[in-house]
PDB file of all heavy atoms in Angstrom:
ATOM      1  N   ARG A   1      -0.308  -3.034   9.675  1.00 64.00           N
ATOM      2  CA  ARG A   1      -0.165  -2.172  10.850  1.00 64.00           C
ATOM      3  C   ARG A   1      -1.109  -0.980  10.827  1.00 64.00           C
ATOM      4  O   ARG A   1      -1.006  -0.103  11.676  1.00 64.00           O
ATOM      5  CB  ARG A   1       1.281  -1.649  10.927  1.00 64.00           C
ATOM      6  CG  ARG A   1       2.327  -2.743  11.090  1.00 64.00           C
ATOM      7  CD  ARG A   1       3.559  -2.219  11.841  1.00 64.00           C
ATOM      8  NE  ARG A   1       4.097  -1.011  11.247  1.00 64.00           N
ATOM      9  CZ  ARG A   1       5.177  -0.988  10.463  1.00 64.00           C
ATOM     10  NH1 ARG A   1       5.797  -2.122  10.147  1.00 64.00           N
ATOM     11  NH2 ARG A   1       5.643   0.138   9.985  1.00 64.00           N
ATOM     12  N   ILE A   2      -2.015  -0.948   9.850  1.00 57.00           N
ATOM     13  CA  ILE A   2      -2.871   0.228   9.689  1.00 57.00           C
ATOM     14  C   ILE A   2      -3.718   0.503  10.924  1.00 57.00           C
ATOM     15  O   ILE A   2      -3.855   1.640  11.368  1.00 57.00           O
ATOM     16  CB  ILE A   2      -3.761   0.078   8.443  1.00 57.00           C
ATOM     17  CG1 ILE A   2      -2.916   0.303   7.194  1.00 57.00           C
ATOM     18  CG2 ILE A   2      -4.919   1.074   8.470  1.00 57.00           C
ATOM     19  CD1 ILE A   2      -3.643   0.041   5.913  1.00 57.00           C
ATOM     20  N   GLU A   3      -4.302  -0.546  11.498  1.00 51.00           N
ATOM     21  CA  GLU A   3      -5.183  -0.344  12.647  1.00 51.00           C
ATOM     22  C   GLU A   3      -4.423   0.209  13.844  1.00 51.00           C
ATOM     23  O   GLU A   3      -4.943   0.994  14.626  1.00 51.00           O
ATOM     24  CB  GLU A   3      -5.862  -1.666  13.018  1.00 51.00           C
ATOM     25  CG  GLU A   3      -6.877  -2.117  11.970  1.00 51.00           C
ATOM     26  CD  GLU A   3      -7.580  -3.392  12.403  1.00 51.00           C
ATOM     27  OE1 GLU A   3      -7.298  -3.872  13.512  1.00 51.00           O
ATOM     28  OE2 GLU A   3      -8.415  -3.891  11.625  1.00 51.00           O
ATOM     29  N   GLN A   4      -3.155  -0.187  13.977  1.00 56.00           N
ATOM     30  CA  GLN A   4      -2.359   0.299  15.093  1.00 56.00           C
ATOM     31  C   GLN A   4      -1.798   1.705  14.816  1.00 56.00           C
ATOM     32  O   GLN A   4      -1.564   2.475  15.728  1.00 56.00           O
ATOM     33  CB  GLN A   4      -1.182  -0.649  15.379  1.00 56.00           C
ATOM     34  CG  GLN A   4      -1.585  -2.000  15.957  1.00 56.00           C
ATOM     35  CD  GLN A   4      -2.168  -2.942  14.906  1.00 56.00           C
ATOM     36  OE1 GLN A   4      -1.840  -2.817  13.742  1.00 56.00           O
ATOM     37  NE2 GLN A   4      -3.027  -3.851  15.332  1.00 56.00           N
ATOM     38  N   GLU A   5      -1.586   2.006  13.533  1.00 60.00           N
ATOM     39  CA  GLU A   5      -1.015   3.298  13.151  1.00 60.00           C
ATOM     40  C   GLU A   5      -1.914   3.942  12.098  1.00 60.00           C
ATOM     41  O   GLU A   5      -1.695   3.769  10.900  1.00 60.00           O
ATOM     42  CB  GLU A   5       0.399   3.116  12.588  1.00 60.00           C
ATOM     43  CG  GLU A   5       1.366   2.467  13.575  1.00 60.00           C
ATOM     44  CD  GLU A   5       2.711   2.181  12.941  1.00 60.00           C
ATOM     45  OE1 GLU A   5       3.040   2.810  11.920  1.00 60.00           O
ATOM     46  OE2 GLU A   5       3.441   1.325  13.468  1.00 60.00           O
ATOM     47  N   PRO A   6      -2.934   4.675  12.510  1.00 55.00           N
ATOM     48  CA  PRO A   6      -3.893   5.266  11.566  1.00 55.00           C
ATOM     49  C   PRO A   6      -3.244   6.135  10.503  1.00 55.00           C
ATOM     50  O   PRO A   6      -3.779   6.263   9.401  1.00 55.00           O
ATOM     51  CB  PRO A   6      -4.801   6.102  12.481  1.00 55.00           C
ATOM     52  CG  PRO A   6      -4.685   5.459  13.821  1.00 55.00           C
ATOM     53  CD  PRO A   6      -3.289   4.951  13.911  1.00 55.00           C
ATOM     54  N   LEU A   7      -2.082   6.719  10.804  1.00 48.00           N
ATOM     55  CA  LEU A   7      -1.419   7.566   9.817  1.00 48.00           C
ATOM     56  C   LEU A   7      -1.083   6.786   8.549  1.00 48.00           C
ATOM     57  O   LEU A   7      -1.028   7.331   7.454  1.00 48.00           O
ATOM     58  CB  LEU A   7      -0.129   8.148  10.423  1.00 48.00           C
ATOM     59  CG  LEU A   7       0.616   9.207   9.590  1.00 48.00           C
ATOM     60  CD1 LEU A   7      -0.280  10.411   9.354  1.00 48.00           C
ATOM     61  CD2 LEU A   7       1.900   9.629  10.279  1.00 48.00           C
ATOM     62  N   ASN A   8      -0.886   5.476   8.710  1.00 59.00           N
ATOM     63  CA  ASN A   8      -0.572   4.644   7.552  1.00 59.00           C
ATOM     64  C   ASN A   8      -1.710   4.599   6.534  1.00 59.00           C
ATOM     65  O   ASN A   8      -1.510   4.161   5.394  1.00 59.00           O
ATOM     66  CB  ASN A   8      -0.228   3.214   7.988  1.00 59.00           C
ATOM     67  CG  ASN A   8       1.236   3.061   8.327  1.00 59.00           C
ATOM     68  OD1 ASN A   8       2.063   3.825   7.887  1.00 59.00           O
ATOM     69  ND2 ASN A   8       1.544   2.064   9.135  1.00 59.00           N
ATOM     70  N   MET A   9      -2.920   5.005   6.936  1.00 66.00           N
ATOM     71  CA  MET A   9      -4.029   5.053   5.987  1.00 66.00           C
ATOM     72  C   MET A   9      -3.690   5.925   4.786  1.00 66.00           C
ATOM     73  O   MET A   9      -4.149   5.679   3.672  1.00 66.00           O
ATOM     74  CB  MET A   9      -5.289   5.601   6.674  1.00 66.00           C
ATOM     75  CG  MET A   9      -6.071   4.577   7.470  1.00 66.00           C
ATOM     76  SD  MET A   9      -6.690   3.212   6.457  1.00 66.00           S
ATOM     77  CE  MET A   9      -7.820   4.081   5.372  1.00 66.00           C
ATOM     78  N   LEU A  10      -2.850   6.948   5.024  1.00 69.00           N
ATOM     79  CA  LEU A  10      -2.439   7.822   3.923  1.00 69.00           C
ATOM     80  C   LEU A  10      -1.592   7.077   2.895  1.00 69.00           C
ATOM     81  O   LEU A  10      -1.476   7.506   1.748  1.00 69.00           O
ATOM     82  CB  LEU A  10      -1.636   9.008   4.477  1.00 69.00           C
ATOM     83  CG  LEU A  10      -2.392   9.962   5.425  1.00 69.00           C
ATOM     84  CD1 LEU A  10      -1.439  10.982   6.018  1.00 69.00           C
ATOM     85  CD2 LEU A  10      -3.518  10.664   4.676  1.00 69.00           C
ATOM     86  N   LEU A  11      -1.004   5.951   3.311  1.00 77.00           N
ATOM     87  CA  LEU A  11      -0.159   5.180   2.400  1.00 77.00           C
ATOM     88  C   LEU A  11      -0.938   4.202   1.536  1.00 77.00           C
ATOM     89  O   LEU A  11      -0.408   3.705   0.542  1.00 77.00           O
ATOM     90  CB  LEU A  11       0.881   4.388   3.207  1.00 77.00           C
ATOM     91  CG  LEU A  11       2.093   5.155   3.739  1.00 77.00           C
ATOM     92  CD1 LEU A  11       2.920   4.247   4.617  1.00 77.00           C
ATOM     93  CD2 LEU A  11       2.932   5.700   2.597  1.00 77.00           C
ATOM     94  N   ILE A  12      -2.181   3.914   1.925  1.00 81.00           N
ATOM     95  CA  ILE A  12      -2.949   2.883   1.230  1.00 81.00           C
ATOM     96  C   ILE A  12      -2.999   3.099  -0.284  1.00 81.00           C
ATOM     97  O   ILE A  12      -2.724   2.176  -1.062  1.00 81.00           O
ATOM     98  CB  ILE A  12      -4.373   2.761   1.816  1.00 81.00           C
ATOM     99  CG1 ILE A  12      -4.315   2.063   3.175  1.00 81.00           C
ATOM    100  CG2 ILE A  12      -5.296   1.981   0.899  1.00 81.00           C
ATOM    101  CD1 ILE A  12      -3.893   0.616   3.105  1.00 81.00           C
ATOM    102  N   PRO A  13      -3.344   4.311  -0.773  1.00 82.00           N
ATOM    103  CA  PRO A  13      -3.389   4.492  -2.232  1.00 82.00           C
ATOM    104  C   PRO A  13      -2.053   4.181  -2.906  1.00 82.00           C
ATOM    105  O   PRO A  13      -2.024   3.547  -3.967  1.00 82.00           O
ATOM    106  CB  PRO A  13      -3.769   5.974  -2.395  1.00 82.00           C
ATOM    107  CG  PRO A  13      -4.469   6.325  -1.129  1.00 82.00           C
ATOM    108  CD  PRO A  13      -3.772   5.535  -0.064  1.00 82.00           C
ATOM    109  N   ASN A  14      -0.949   4.606  -2.291  1.00 82.00           N
ATOM    110  CA  ASN A  14       0.357   4.362  -2.899  1.00 82.00           C
ATOM    111  C   ASN A  14       0.780   2.904  -2.815  1.00 82.00           C
ATOM    112  O   ASN A  14       1.432   2.378  -3.724  1.00 82.00           O
ATOM    113  CB  ASN A  14       1.410   5.251  -2.236  1.00 82.00           C
ATOM    114  CG  ASN A  14       1.198   6.713  -2.551  1.00 82.00           C
ATOM    115  OD1 ASN A  14       0.469   7.397  -1.856  1.00 82.00           O
ATOM    116  ND2 ASN A  14       1.784   7.189  -3.629  1.00 82.00           N
ATOM    117  N   ILE A  15       0.407   2.250  -1.723  1.00 85.00           N
ATOM    118  CA  ILE A  15       0.699   0.820  -1.611  1.00 85.00           C
ATOM    119  C   ILE A  15      -0.068   0.047  -2.682  1.00 85.00           C
ATOM    120  O   ILE A  15       0.484  -0.846  -3.334  1.00 85.00           O
ATOM    121  CB  ILE A  15       0.342   0.300  -0.201  1.00 85.00           C
ATOM    122  CG1 ILE A  15       1.317   0.893   0.838  1.00 85.00           C
ATOM    123  CG2 ILE A  15       0.395  -1.218  -0.146  1.00 85.00           C
ATOM    124  CD1 ILE A  15       0.968   0.554   2.275  1.00 85.00           C
ATOM    125  N   MET A  16      -1.336   0.412  -2.865  1.00 87.00           N
ATOM    126  CA  MET A  16      -2.131  -0.254  -3.900  1.00 87.00           C
ATOM    127  C   MET A  16      -1.538   0.000  -5.283  1.00 87.00           C
ATOM    128  O   MET A  16      -1.453  -0.902  -6.121  1.00 87.00           O
ATOM    129  CB  MET A  16      -3.578   0.239  -3.841  1.00 87.00           C
ATOM    130  CG  MET A  16      -4.366  -0.336  -2.683  1.00 87.00           C
ATOM    131  SD  MET A  16      -6.141  -0.058  -2.840  1.00 87.00           S
ATOM    132  CE  MET A  16      -6.222   1.714  -2.812  1.00 87.00           C
ATOM    133  N   LYS A  17      -1.137   1.244  -5.520  1.00 85.00           N
ATOM    134  CA  LYS A  17      -0.544   1.583  -6.814  1.00 85.00           C
ATOM    135  C   LYS A  17       0.737   0.785  -7.037  1.00 85.00           C
ATOM    136  O   LYS A  17       0.989   0.272  -8.144  1.00 85.00           O
ATOM    137  CB  LYS A  17      -0.262   3.087  -6.857  1.00 85.00           C
ATOM    138  CG  LYS A  17       0.108   3.618  -8.237  1.00 85.00           C
ATOM    139  CD  LYS A  17       0.460   5.093  -8.176  1.00 85.00           C
ATOM    140  CE  LYS A  17      -0.702   5.937  -7.748  1.00 85.00           C
ATOM    141  NZ  LYS A  17      -0.384   7.386  -7.798  1.00 85.00           N
ATOM    142  N   PHE A  18       1.559   0.678  -5.998  1.00 86.00           N
ATOM    143  CA  PHE A  18       2.820  -0.053  -6.076  1.00 86.00           C
ATOM    144  C   PHE A  18       2.573  -1.511  -6.461  1.00 86.00           C
ATOM    145  O   PHE A  18       3.142  -2.023  -7.426  1.00 86.00           O
ATOM    146  CB  PHE A  18       3.539   0.031  -4.734  1.00 86.00           C
ATOM    147  CG  PHE A  18       4.820  -0.757  -4.661  1.00 86.00           C
ATOM    148  CD1 PHE A  18       6.006  -0.223  -5.109  1.00 86.00           C
ATOM    149  CD2 PHE A  18       4.825  -2.045  -4.142  1.00 86.00           C
ATOM    150  CE1 PHE A  18       7.187  -0.946  -5.048  1.00 86.00           C
ATOM    151  CE2 PHE A  18       6.001  -2.780  -4.073  1.00 86.00           C
ATOM    152  CZ  PHE A  18       7.185  -2.222  -4.527  1.00 86.00           C
ATOM    153  N   PHE A  19       1.696  -2.176  -5.698  1.00 88.00           N
ATOM    154  CA  PHE A  19       1.433  -3.590  -5.972  1.00 88.00           C
ATOM    155  C   PHE A  19       0.666  -3.776  -7.279  1.00 88.00           C
ATOM    156  O   PHE A  19       0.839  -4.777  -7.974  1.00 88.00           O
ATOM    157  CB  PHE A  19       0.688  -4.221  -4.803  1.00 88.00           C
ATOM    158  CG  PHE A  19       1.588  -4.623  -3.669  1.00 88.00           C
ATOM    159  CD1 PHE A  19       1.859  -3.762  -2.623  1.00 88.00           C
ATOM    160  CD2 PHE A  19       2.195  -5.866  -3.666  1.00 88.00           C
ATOM    161  CE1 PHE A  19       2.702  -4.117  -1.583  1.00 88.00           C
ATOM    162  CE2 PHE A  19       3.046  -6.243  -2.640  1.00 88.00           C
ATOM    163  CZ  PHE A  19       3.303  -5.367  -1.599  1.00 88.00           C
ATOM    164  N   GLY A  20      -0.181  -2.807  -7.615  1.00 87.00           N
ATOM    165  CA  GLY A  20      -0.934  -2.913  -8.859  1.00 87.00           C
ATOM    166  C   GLY A  20      -0.049  -2.832 -10.077  1.00 87.00           C
ATOM    167  O   GLY A  20      -0.187  -3.621 -11.020  1.00 87.00           O
ATOM    168  N   LYS A  21       0.905  -1.897 -10.071  1.00 84.00           N
ATOM    169  CA  LYS A  21       1.801  -1.753 -11.217  1.00 84.00           C
ATOM    170  C   LYS A  21       2.687  -2.981 -11.373  1.00 84.00           C
ATOM    171  O   LYS A  21       2.963  -3.425 -12.491  1.00 84.00           O
ATOM    172  CB  LYS A  21       2.651  -0.490 -11.065  1.00 84.00           C
ATOM    173  CG  LYS A  21       1.868   0.794 -11.301  1.00 84.00           C
ATOM    174  CD  LYS A  21       2.758   2.019 -11.229  1.00 84.00           C
ATOM    175  CE  LYS A  21       1.975   3.280 -11.535  1.00 84.00           C
ATOM    176  NZ  LYS A  21       2.831   4.494 -11.467  1.00 84.00           N
ATOM    177  N   ILE A  22       3.141  -3.514 -10.250  1.00 87.00           N
ATOM    178  CA  ILE A  22       3.946  -4.735 -10.327  1.00 87.00           C
ATOM    179  C   ILE A  22       3.068  -5.914 -10.726  1.00 87.00           C
ATOM    180  O   ILE A  22       3.486  -6.796 -11.479  1.00 87.00           O
ATOM    181  CB  ILE A  22       4.663  -4.979  -8.986  1.00 87.00           C
ATOM    182  CG1 ILE A  22       5.715  -3.891  -8.784  1.00 87.00           C
ATOM    183  CG2 ILE A  22       5.288  -6.367  -8.937  1.00 87.00           C
ATOM    184  CD1 ILE A  22       6.382  -3.875  -7.455  1.00 87.00           C
ATOM    185  N   GLY A  23       1.816  -5.902 -10.256  1.00 88.00           N
ATOM    186  CA  GLY A  23       0.881  -6.968 -10.620  1.00 88.00           C
ATOM    187  C   GLY A  23       0.583  -7.018 -12.101  1.00 88.00           C
ATOM    188  O   GLY A  23       0.292  -8.085 -12.658  1.00 88.00           O
ATOM    189  N   ALA A  24       0.664  -5.876 -12.773  1.00 87.00           N
ATOM    190  CA  ALA A  24       0.449  -5.857 -14.227  1.00 87.00           C
ATOM    191  C   ALA A  24       1.565  -6.590 -14.955  1.00 87.00           C
ATOM    192  O   ALA A  24       1.367  -7.145 -16.042  1.00 87.00           O
ATOM    193  CB  ALA A  24       0.361  -4.414 -14.718  1.00 87.00           C
ATOM    194  N   ILE A  25       2.763  -6.595 -14.339  1.00 85.00           N
ATOM    195  CA  ILE A  25       3.921  -7.263 -14.937  1.00 85.00           C
ATOM    196  C   ILE A  25       4.044  -8.696 -14.429  1.00 85.00           C
ATOM    197  O   ILE A  25       4.305  -9.633 -15.196  1.00 85.00           O
ATOM    198  CB  ILE A  25       5.214  -6.488 -14.593  1.00 85.00           C
ATOM    199  CG1 ILE A  25       5.085  -5.021 -14.980  1.00 85.00           C
ATOM    200  CG2 ILE A  25       6.423  -7.105 -15.271  1.00 85.00           C
ATOM    201  CD1 ILE A  25       6.102  -4.117 -14.302  1.00 85.00           C
ATOM    202  N   GLN A  26       3.846  -8.865 -13.125  1.00 85.00           N
ATOM    203  CA  GLN A  26       4.006 -10.173 -12.476  1.00 85.00           C
ATOM    204  C   GLN A  26       2.772 -10.468 -11.622  1.00 85.00           C
ATOM    205  O   GLN A  26       2.841 -10.439 -10.386  1.00 85.00           O
ATOM    206  CB  GLN A  26       5.258 -10.158 -11.580  1.00 85.00           C
ATOM    207  CG  GLN A  26       6.547  -9.813 -12.298  1.00 85.00           C
ATOM    208  CD  GLN A  26       7.219 -11.047 -12.872  1.00 85.00           C
ATOM    209  OE1 GLN A  26       6.708 -12.152 -12.730  1.00 85.00           O
ATOM    210  NE2 GLN A  26       8.349 -10.876 -13.516  1.00 85.00           N
ATOM    211  N   PRO A  27       1.619 -10.754 -12.242  1.00 90.00           N
ATOM    212  CA  PRO A  27       0.397 -10.953 -11.444  1.00 90.00           C
ATOM    213  C   PRO A  27       0.506 -12.090 -10.439  1.00 90.00           C
ATOM    214  O   PRO A  27      -0.004 -11.995  -9.320  1.00 90.00           O
ATOM    215  CB  PRO A  27      -0.675 -11.240 -12.502  1.00 90.00           C
ATOM    216  CG  PRO A  27       0.073 -11.662 -13.726  1.00 90.00           C
ATOM    217  CD  PRO A  27       1.368 -10.927 -13.681  1.00 90.00           C
TER     218      PRO A  27
END
C-alpha cells in the first residue's frame, strides 16, 4: 500500500527489520 499511502514509507525500515530478524531464524 506504499504507493497509495506515502506515509507508509516511514515504516519500510521497520518492516525490513521485522522480516529480517525473523528471516534469520526462519529464512
Side-chain angles (χ1 to χ4, degrees):
R1 298 209 307 258
I2 285 174
E3 291 183 2
Q4 291 76 27
E5 301 174 21
L7 187 61
N8 273 338
M9 278 299 296
L10 297 173
L11 282 174
I12 286 293
N14 292 88
I15 291 174
M16 285 193 298
K17 191 184 297 185
F18 177 85
F19 278 91
K21 287 184 177 180
I22 292 172
I25 307 162
Q26 303 272 0

